[in-house]
Amino acid sequence: MIERFAVRALLVSEPQQRLLLIRSRLPGRDRDIWLVPGGGVEAGEDPRSALRREVQEETGLAIP
């Protein structure tokens, strides 16, 4: 079994209290799924840095 560490972000807007989701299509499937932004932690990367990078890549938002 291969272990893969991942991070996910729950991004909630203020003051509307809306949750940001990303719609994605799985390869070989005819339907979409909804996910929160995130992804894999690269070798030598700490989880906080990985989360910042993934959110930037997927949404264009910068997390301080």
Side-chain angles (χ1 to χ4, degrees):
M1 175 172 45
I2 298 173
E3 278 190 347
R4 181 174 180 254
F5 295 98
V7 291
R8 295 281 172 197
L10 292 174
L11 301 174
V12 181
S13 68
E14 293 288 341
Q16 301 90 352
Q17 297 295 305
R18 293 183 179 161
L19 179 65
L20 176 65
L21 297 173
I22 297 172
R23 185 171 62 185
S24 181
R25 180 151 303 193
L26 294 174
R29 301 271 178 120
D30 291 336
R31 64 184 180 104
D32 294 337
I33 60 170
W34 293 89
L35 302 164
V36 294
V41 177
E42 296 176 0
E45 189 175 37
D46 67 278
R48 187 172 295 204
S49 296
L51 187 61
R52 285 188 186 112
R53 176 183 51 74
E54 287 289 345
V55 169
Q56 173 71 37
E57 288 175 3
E58 294 184 3
T59 70
L61 299 173
I63 296 178

